[in-house]
Amino acid sequence: MASIFLLVCTVALIAAIAAVILEKARKILITSSWYKRIFAAGEAQFAETTRKLFAPLKEQIFTDLGKHLKIVKGDVLEIGIGSGENFDYYPPGTSLIAVDCNPHVENVLKARLEKTADRVHLKKFVVASAAQLDVEDNSVAAVVCTLVLCSIDDDQTRKTLQEVKRVLKPVSNTSVYFRVEPPCRCSSL
């Protein structure tokens, strides 16, 4: 009986050690440069595939953004810019500060920008986490953040929303659009 208990404890210990090793390996993998390059290319392909699906919703949201920018002048901050799939929807002449945690999206982003240069002026590209924006307080007229909040945990979502509040210019009327499909983690916020 004692040998069975010892065997079960040994297997449990090995499983715990394996779980720790796999988690460390996962973290190393997703922070590696080659993974980020592959992810940037895949993200651009995903955007092209889902363009028609999201187009009606994005057209409405960005029409409202255009109205807002006529009232509150200034730059737009896009968090999680990816390959720039929202460029086609921005009002003409939008000045954009782009933020993404993946430095390898910048080349894909610039290639897309060449196709829509009349609509969007890229003021700055910043490599940063959504929860730690390298942007001045009260400095942007609007923040766009698509398909990001459901990709991060609740703690990061709270920090990101605090950062959004910090960087937005104070205005008397602010519109926030959330499209969250259950069972997304951030739907409980």
Side-chain angles (χ1 to χ4, degrees):
M1 188 70 165
S3 62
I4 292 176
F5 178 73
L6 185 59
L7 178 63
V8 169
C9 289
T10 304
V11 169
L13 180 62
I14 291 171
I17 291 170
V20 169
I21 291 170
L22 287 173
E23 178 58 20
K24 288 185 185 238
R26 185 191 70 81
K27 286 181 180 178
I28 290 169
L29 173 70
I30 65 173
T31 59
S32 69
S33 181
W34 64 267
Y35 174 83
K36 289 181 179 182
R37 278 192 193 99
I38 292 169
F39 187 85
E43 186 177 33
Q45 184 60 44
F46 174 77
E48 289 303 317
T49 304
T50 60
R51 177 177 299 280
K52 288 181 183 177
L53 176 67
F54 290 114
L57 176 63
K58 286 188 176 187
E59 286 168 1
Q60 179 59 51
I61 290 172
F62 283 86
T63 297
D64 292 346
L65 175 65
K67 293 174 187 175
H68 174 77
L69 291 175
K70 288 179 182 176
I71 299 166
V72 181
K73 305 289 185 204
D75 300 325
V76 174
L77 170 68
E78 184 166 350
I79 301 170
I81 188 91
S83 61
E85 51 268 14
N86 290 327
F87 282 179
D88 295 337
Y89 303 101
Y90 278 108
T94 299
S95 175
L96 187 68
I97 299 171
V99 174
D100 204 288
C101 62
N102 185 347
H104 299 288
V105 301
E106 186 173 12
N107 291 333
V108 178
L109 183 69
K110 287 182 178 177
R112 184 171 194 100
L113 187 61
E114 289 176 12
K115 298 176 186 174
T116 57
D118 59 325
R119 296 186 79 79
V120 178
H121 163 70
L122 184 60
K123 183 175 181 178
K124 182 166 73 168
F125 177 76
V126 180
V127 177
S129 161
Q132 293 179 323
L133 299 173
D134 187 16
V135 178
E136 293 180 29
D137 294 1
N138 305 316
S139 63
V140 297
V143 175
V144 173
C145 182
T146 57
L147 301 175
V148 172
L149 296 179
C150 286
S151 303
I152 56 179
D153 65 33
D154 288 347
D155 184 52
Q156 291 293 329
T157 299
R158 282 185 198 87
K159 289 176 181 176
T160 299
L161 293 175
Q162 289 170 346
E163 284 290 273
V164 167
K165 182 179 176 185
R166 179 185 66 78
V167 301
L168 277 171
K169 290 180 178 181
V171 292
S172 58
N173 183 14
T174 302
S175 298
V176 179
Y177 296 92
F178 286 99
R179 172 97 175 145
V180 179
E181 296 291 337
C184 183
R185 288 185 307 267
C186 59
S187 63
S188 63
L189 293 176

